[in-house]
Amino acid sequence: MEIIQNYINGKLVGAENGQSFDNYNPSNGQVYGQIPDSTQGDIQSAVDAASTAFPLWSATTRLDRSNLLLKIADLIDANHDRLAAAESKDNGKPIKLASRVDIPRASANFRFFATAILHESTEAHQTDQDAINMTLRTPIGVVGCISPWNLPLYLFTWKIAPAIAAGNTVVAKPSEITPMTAFLLSELCIEAGLPAGVLNIVHGTGPNAGQAISEHPEIKAISFTGGTETGKRIAATAAPMFKKLSLELGGKNPNIIFADCDFDEALKTSVHSSFANQGQICLCGSRIFVERSIYDRFKDAFAKKVNQLLVGDPADPSSNLGAVVSKPHMEKVLGFVELAKEEGGTILTGGHQVKLAGALANGYYIAPTVIEGLAYDCQTNQQEIFGPVVTIAPFDTEQEVLMMANSTQYGLSATVWTTNLQRANRVSSELKTGIVWVNCWLLRDLRTPFGGVKKSGVGREGGWDVLNFFTEKKNVCIKL
Ligand code: NDP
């Protein structure tokens, strides 16, 4: 049994009430650990520690903060294999993916913000009346960071690193479904010598520990990534208290393939953008639209390639897909497949649970699934499934595909495949999303603004945007 503990005031401790709940390994359905079932009292202890640490941490020089964050990044790199194995076991993702993407990105997050704060500048405005305005930026105080299960350490550190780099102290909660690497991170922070109380990691459920973070009056800002419904609940709690809010929510992203695309590249990347991490990435393209003149050719080649993907043991480096994150999630995704059939969809490949042999027989595996024949406005094409399920449909004109692409309540990202630069530009500007990838997918540059529109969220992460979020601006006007 792996016993996970909270990290509060620099120490590893259990929940104050002594309660814990089970942590499951999605690859075999077995309980392999215990998670503290933290409540308001644990959040209060974390807030107390963070409030006490704030004056000293916010006054620590940028260089000292930077060096500490770099040390954490080094420790993540030094523990790469252990963290990748833990992430794969906790989440069900292939170890190959955790090794190549999740863990390197976690250390990159610390490195990026550790160095960004050394290059910040603030604005000055000289007025016509012999006065100068200086815009100062100061840390907010105690901030809350709440993250989901799909990219556990990657998204947790994407919030924590800029928050502490900017001089705030943090109370953070990872998803109860994937707490392991956040716990290992707390051990690394202790080893790095991060002062007590600067980062506090409290484990537990959303309704208990998460809600207590949203409600706490001393937590002045909340950075949240997760589902739209949870985001709505957090906003309803936090907005009347005038907390700063950054909400990165759900998506139903279109993947638009024009006939003039580089066919092979679009095909290869679309397989990846549909099924990477079992389709459990907020940026996955779950609605594929293909220009009619190449529809049959693309559809056949796509279904053939998807059919060849290997669903297997996450610990086996040859697996293309591992397990989805939990039993309820598997059931939810398979429920959407049934809904798609009721709505008149035809399953081109997949559409069922995969039963692996031996010790993995009770794991949560789903065959990568491609569905055609659905109306763009049916429930399957409007609701976020967040699993290895995509729909595919033909289109005739640019106008038609834009209408279908923009038809959902979401607006996180879109992918466009065309070799026509004018078209790429035109379509990108008409897509109602926060991010557009043209002839690529998930090509990340941490300096760029990251986030969505409509019900995909409010605010942007990344680069200066997130450092602005985690600071307050104060304008000082001096008459000369
Ligand atoms: P949830 O919204 O269920 O949970 C996200 C986090 O919020 C978890 O830590 C959860 O805790 C916590 N939480 C739940 N209820 C509350 C509450 N009342 N108050 C405070 N915190 C709460 O999302 P999932 O974990 O299921 O993640 C999947 C979702 O995340 C998808 O919709 C996906 O699109 C979205 N996502 C968005 C991204 C983006 O950048 N826009 C990136 C990645 C994912 P617990 O797990 O313990 O319930």
Side-chain angles (χ1 to χ4, degrees), residues 7 37 42 130-131 143 176 192 220 245 274 287 294 310 313 330 334 342 348 353 436 444 454 458 478:
Y7 170 49
D37 191 1
D42 303 278
D130 273 347
V143 301
E176 74 193 62
K220 302 293 181 202
L245 278 174
S274 302
R287 295 178 295 147
I294 61 161
L310 187 67
D313 183 355
M330 176 177 72
L334 291 171
E342 283 165 25
L348 297 180
Q353 190 182 348
V436 181
R444 289 286 289 123
K454 300 197 275 182
V458 178
I478 303 176

mmCIF file of all heavy atoms in Angstrom, residues 7 37 42 130-131 143 176 192 220 245 274 287 294 310 313 330 334 342 348 353 436 444 454 458 478:
data_model
loop_
_atom_site.group_PDB
_atom_site.id
_atom_site.type_symbol
_atom_site.label_atom_id
_atom_site.label_comp_id
_atom_site.label_asym_id
_atom_site.label_seq_id
_atom_site.Cartn_x
_atom_site.Cartn_y
_atom_site.Cartn_z
ATOM 1 N N TYR A 7 0.977 17.709 2.365
ATOM 2 C CA TYR A 7 2.225 18.470 2.561
ATOM 3 C C TYR A 7 1.794 19.844 3.072
ATOM 4 O O TYR A 7 1.335 20.685 2.300
ATOM 5 C CB TYR A 7 2.945 18.549 1.211
ATOM 6 C CG TYR A 7 4.134 19.477 1.113
ATOM 7 C CD1 TYR A 7 5.156 19.471 2.054
ATOM 8 C CD2 TYR A 7 4.254 20.349 0.017
ATOM 9 C CE1 TYR A 7 6.265 20.310 1.901
ATOM 10 C CE2 TYR A 7 5.355 21.172 -0.140
ATOM 11 C CZ TYR A 7 6.352 21.154 0.804
ATOM 12 O OH TYR A 7 7.449 21.973 0.666
ATOM 13 N N ASP A 37 -8.375 11.899 3.300
ATOM 14 C CA ASP A 37 -9.694 12.475 2.989
ATOM 15 C C ASP A 37 -9.793 13.826 3.709
ATOM 16 O O ASP A 37 -10.491 13.969 4.710
ATOM 17 C CB ASP A 37 -10.792 11.505 3.451
ATOM 18 C CG ASP A 37 -12.157 11.905 2.913
ATOM 19 O OD1 ASP A 37 -12.245 12.904 2.180
ATOM 20 O OD2 ASP A 37 -13.132 11.203 3.236
ATOM 21 N N ASP A 42 -8.075 20.738 7.386
ATOM 22 C CA ASP A 42 -6.761 20.599 6.744
ATOM 23 C C ASP A 42 -6.478 21.808 5.845
ATOM 24 O O ASP A 42 -5.351 22.309 5.791
ATOM 25 C CB ASP A 42 -6.728 19.319 5.899
ATOM 26 C CG ASP A 42 -7.055 18.094 6.726
ATOM 27 O OD1 ASP A 42 -6.155 17.581 7.395
ATOM 28 O OD2 ASP A 42 -8.236 17.667 6.725
ATOM 29 N N ASP A 130 3.627 66.685 -16.711
ATOM 30 C CA ASP A 130 4.812 66.539 -15.876
ATOM 31 C C ASP A 130 4.646 65.495 -14.795
ATOM 32 O O ASP A 130 4.959 65.722 -13.624
ATOM 33 C CB ASP A 130 5.170 67.886 -15.197
ATOM 34 C CG ASP A 130 6.054 68.709 -16.101
ATOM 35 O OD1 ASP A 130 6.561 68.127 -17.081
ATOM 36 O OD2 ASP A 130 6.200 69.908 -15.834
ATOM 37 N N ALA A 131 4.121 64.394 -15.159
ATOM 38 C CA ALA A 131 3.970 63.319 -14.172
ATOM 39 C C ALA A 131 4.387 62.014 -14.824
ATOM 40 O O ALA A 131 4.378 61.874 -16.044
ATOM 41 C CB ALA A 131 2.530 63.235 -13.688
ATOM 42 N N VAL A 143 -2.828 31.808 -2.719
ATOM 43 C CA VAL A 143 -3.652 31.471 -3.884
ATOM 44 C C VAL A 143 -3.952 29.970 -3.890
ATOM 45 O O VAL A 143 -3.207 29.174 -3.310
ATOM 46 C CB VAL A 143 -2.973 31.893 -5.210
ATOM 47 C CG1 VAL A 143 -2.712 33.389 -5.230
ATOM 48 C CG2 VAL A 143 -1.681 31.117 -5.454
ATOM 49 N N GLU A 176 -8.342 13.775 -6.858
ATOM 50 C CA GLU A 176 -8.329 12.612 -5.952
ATOM 51 C C GLU A 176 -8.061 11.321 -6.722
ATOM 52 O O GLU A 176 -7.693 10.305 -6.145
ATOM 53 C CB GLU A 176 -9.673 12.502 -5.233
ATOM 54 C CG GLU A 176 -10.790 11.988 -6.140
ATOM 55 C CD GLU A 176 -12.176 12.155 -5.549
ATOM 56 O OE1 GLU A 176 -12.573 13.308 -5.310
ATOM 57 O OE2 GLU A 176 -12.863 11.144 -5.357
ATOM 58 N N ALA A 192 14.417 19.958 -1.875
ATOM 59 C CA ALA A 192 14.977 21.170 -2.501
ATOM 60 C C ALA A 192 15.175 22.297 -1.491
ATOM 61 O O ALA A 192 15.855 23.286 -1.779
ATOM 62 C CB ALA A 192 14.065 21.639 -3.628
ATOM 63 N N LYS A 220 -7.063 34.323 -2.168
ATOM 64 C CA LYS A 220 -7.475 35.505 -2.922
ATOM 65 C C LYS A 220 -7.624 35.254 -4.418
ATOM 66 O O LYS A 220 -8.148 36.101 -5.146
ATOM 67 C CB LYS A 220 -6.443 36.638 -2.733
ATOM 68 C CG LYS A 220 -6.239 37.047 -1.289
ATOM 69 C CD LYS A 220 -7.485 37.698 -0.739
ATOM 70 C CE LYS A 220 -7.296 38.146 0.706
ATOM 71 N NZ LYS A 220 -8.552 38.286 1.409
ATOM 72 N N LEU A 245 -10.081 34.775 -10.747
ATOM 73 C CA LEU A 245 -10.379 33.413 -11.208
ATOM 74 C C LEU A 245 -9.763 33.144 -12.572
ATOM 75 O O LEU A 245 -9.899 33.945 -13.500
ATOM 76 C CB LEU A 245 -11.889 33.243 -11.341
ATOM 77 C CG LEU A 245 -12.687 32.937 -10.082
ATOM 78 C CD1 LEU A 245 -14.171 32.943 -10.399
ATOM 79 C CD2 LEU A 245 -12.283 31.588 -9.507
ATOM 80 N N SER A 274 -6.343 12.417 -31.836
ATOM 81 C CA SER A 274 -7.607 11.806 -31.416
ATOM 82 C C SER A 274 -7.418 10.924 -30.192
ATOM 83 O O SER A 274 -8.285 10.880 -29.312
ATOM 84 C CB SER A 274 -8.168 10.919 -32.540
ATOM 85 O OG SER A 274 -8.364 11.650 -33.713
ATOM 86 N N ARG A 287 -13.897 15.897 -32.966
ATOM 87 C CA ARG A 287 -14.828 15.941 -34.112
ATOM 88 C C ARG A 287 -13.985 16.177 -35.365
ATOM 89 O O ARG A 287 -13.433 17.263 -35.555
ATOM 90 C CB ARG A 287 -15.819 17.091 -33.949
ATOM 91 C CG ARG A 287 -16.760 16.934 -32.754
ATOM 92 C CD ARG A 287 -17.683 18.132 -32.626
ATOM 93 N NE ARG A 287 -16.949 19.349 -32.312
ATOM 94 C CZ ARG A 287 -17.280 20.567 -32.731
ATOM 95 N NH1 ARG A 287 -18.341 20.749 -33.498
ATOM 96 N NH2 ARG A 287 -16.564 21.614 -32.391
ATOM 97 N N ILE A 294 -12.014 14.144 -50.436
ATOM 98 C CA ILE A 294 -11.050 13.154 -49.911
ATOM 99 C C ILE A 294 -11.646 12.362 -48.737
ATOM 100 O O ILE A 294 -10.940 11.644 -48.041
ATOM 101 C CB ILE A 294 -9.694 13.801 -49.479
ATOM 102 C CG1 ILE A 294 -9.902 14.836 -48.359
ATOM 103 C CG2 ILE A 294 -8.944 14.382 -50.662
ATOM 104 C CD1 ILE A 294 -8.612 15.161 -47.593
ATOM 105 N N LEU A 310 -2.362 -0.379 -30.572
ATOM 106 C CA LEU A 310 -2.321 -1.450 -29.585
ATOM 107 C C LEU A 310 -2.791 -0.935 -28.221
ATOM 108 O O LEU A 310 -2.192 -0.020 -27.641
ATOM 109 C CB LEU A 310 -0.875 -1.958 -29.476
ATOM 110 C CG LEU A 310 -0.692 -3.185 -28.598
ATOM 111 C CD1 LEU A 310 -1.371 -4.400 -29.220
ATOM 112 C CD2 LEU A 310 0.799 -3.462 -28.398
ATOM 113 N N ASP A 313 -1.000 -3.047 -21.709
ATOM 114 C CA ASP A 313 -0.442 -2.721 -20.394
ATOM 115 C C ASP A 313 0.265 -1.354 -20.456
ATOM 116 O O ASP A 313 1.201 -1.182 -21.246
ATOM 117 C CB ASP A 313 0.561 -3.832 -20.031
ATOM 118 C CG ASP A 313 1.156 -3.650 -18.645
ATOM 119 O OD1 ASP A 313 0.870 -2.614 -18.001
ATOM 120 O OD2 ASP A 313 1.898 -4.560 -18.220
ATOM 121 N N MET A 330 -14.741 4.994 -17.509
ATOM 122 C CA MET A 330 -14.889 4.016 -18.592
ATOM 123 C C MET A 330 -16.378 3.829 -18.912
ATOM 124 O O MET A 330 -16.783 3.816 -20.083
ATOM 125 C CB MET A 330 -14.269 2.674 -18.171
ATOM 126 C CG MET A 330 -14.465 1.584 -19.203
ATOM 127 S SD MET A 330 -13.661 0.040 -18.731
ATOM 128 C CE MET A 330 -14.721 -0.521 -17.413
ATOM 129 N N LEU A 334 -18.224 4.592 -22.484
ATOM 130 C CA LEU A 334 -18.960 3.539 -23.207
ATOM 131 C C LEU A 334 -20.439 3.914 -23.337
ATOM 132 O O LEU A 334 -21.088 3.569 -24.326
ATOM 133 C CB LEU A 334 -18.798 2.191 -22.486
ATOM 134 C CG LEU A 334 -17.375 1.602 -22.566
ATOM 135 C CD1 LEU A 334 -17.232 0.383 -21.654
ATOM 136 C CD2 LEU A 334 -16.977 1.236 -23.996
ATOM 137 N N GLU A 342 -27.592 5.071 -30.751
ATOM 138 C CA GLU A 342 -29.015 5.472 -30.720
ATOM 139 C C GLU A 342 -29.269 6.669 -31.627
ATOM 140 O O GLU A 342 -30.341 6.808 -32.211
ATOM 141 C CB GLU A 342 -29.427 5.856 -29.294
ATOM 142 C CG GLU A 342 -29.662 4.677 -28.378
ATOM 143 C CD GLU A 342 -29.694 5.101 -26.908
ATOM 144 O OE1 GLU A 342 -30.005 6.280 -26.629
ATOM 145 O OE2 GLU A 342 -29.355 4.259 -26.052
ATOM 146 N N LEU A 348 -17.080 2.684 -37.023
ATOM 147 C CA LEU A 348 -16.140 2.222 -38.067
ATOM 148 C C LEU A 348 -15.081 1.301 -37.474
ATOM 149 O O LEU A 348 -14.610 0.383 -38.123
ATOM 150 C CB LEU A 348 -15.456 3.425 -38.738
ATOM 151 C CG LEU A 348 -16.378 4.393 -39.485
ATOM 152 C CD1 LEU A 348 -15.578 5.533 -40.086
ATOM 153 C CD2 LEU A 348 -17.163 3.666 -40.568
ATOM 154 N N GLN A 353 -15.373 -2.203 -24.851
ATOM 155 C CA GLN A 353 -14.341 -2.368 -23.828
ATOM 156 C C GLN A 353 -13.346 -3.423 -24.309
ATOM 157 O O GLN A 353 -13.710 -4.320 -25.065
ATOM 158 C CB GLN A 353 -15.018 -2.833 -22.530
ATOM 159 C CG GLN A 353 -14.101 -2.818 -21.334
ATOM 160 C CD GLN A 353 -14.787 -3.332 -20.062
ATOM 161 O OE1 GLN A 353 -16.001 -3.486 -20.022
ATOM 162 N NE2 GLN A 353 -13.991 -3.594 -19.054
ATOM 163 N N VAL A 436 -5.641 27.812 -32.091
ATOM 164 C CA VAL A 436 -5.790 27.121 -33.385
ATOM 165 C C VAL A 436 -4.435 26.532 -33.756
ATOM 166 O O VAL A 436 -3.411 27.226 -33.725
ATOM 167 C CB VAL A 436 -6.256 28.086 -34.504
ATOM 168 C CG1 VAL A 436 -6.418 27.328 -35.820
ATOM 169 C CG2 VAL A 436 -7.558 28.779 -34.137
ATOM 170 N N ARG A 444 3.702 22.940 -28.468
ATOM 171 C CA ARG A 444 3.554 23.910 -27.396
ATOM 172 C C ARG A 444 4.773 24.812 -27.263
ATOM 173 O O ARG A 444 5.911 24.385 -27.376
ATOM 174 C CB ARG A 444 3.314 23.186 -26.058
ATOM 175 C CG ARG A 444 1.963 22.545 -25.951
ATOM 176 C CD ARG A 444 0.831 23.540 -25.738
ATOM 177 N NE ARG A 444 0.853 24.150 -24.405
ATOM 178 C CZ ARG A 444 0.904 25.456 -24.194
ATOM 179 N NH1 ARG A 444 0.951 26.314 -25.177
ATOM 180 N NH2 ARG A 444 0.916 25.908 -22.958
ATOM 181 N N LYS A 454 -15.978 30.833 -24.662
ATOM 182 C CA LYS A 454 -17.298 30.251 -24.360
ATOM 183 C C LYS A 454 -17.189 29.393 -23.079
ATOM 184 O O LYS A 454 -16.519 29.795 -22.132
ATOM 185 C CB LYS A 454 -17.828 29.463 -25.562
ATOM 186 C CG LYS A 454 -17.976 30.346 -26.816
ATOM 187 C CD LYS A 454 -18.862 29.704 -27.867
ATOM 188 C CE LYS A 454 -18.119 28.752 -28.761
ATOM 189 N NZ LYS A 454 -18.928 28.135 -29.816
ATOM 190 N N VAL A 458 -12.291 30.945 -18.757
ATOM 191 C CA VAL A 458 -12.065 32.377 -18.605
ATOM 192 C C VAL A 458 -10.606 32.571 -18.239
ATOM 193 O O VAL A 458 -10.110 31.940 -17.309
ATOM 194 C CB VAL A 458 -12.933 32.944 -17.453
ATOM 195 C CG1 VAL A 458 -12.672 34.426 -17.258
ATOM 196 C CG2 VAL A 458 -14.409 32.694 -17.697
ATOM 197 N N ILE A 478 3.365 59.868 -10.086
ATOM 198 C CA ILE A 478 4.200 60.824 -9.352
ATOM 199 C C ILE A 478 4.271 62.127 -10.143
ATOM 200 O O ILE A 478 4.702 62.138 -11.299
ATOM 201 C CB ILE A 478 5.619 60.261 -9.140
ATOM 202 C CG1 ILE A 478 5.555 58.916 -8.388
ATOM 203 C CG2 ILE A 478 6.491 61.259 -8.372
ATOM 204 C CD1 ILE A 478 6.903 58.251 -8.221
#
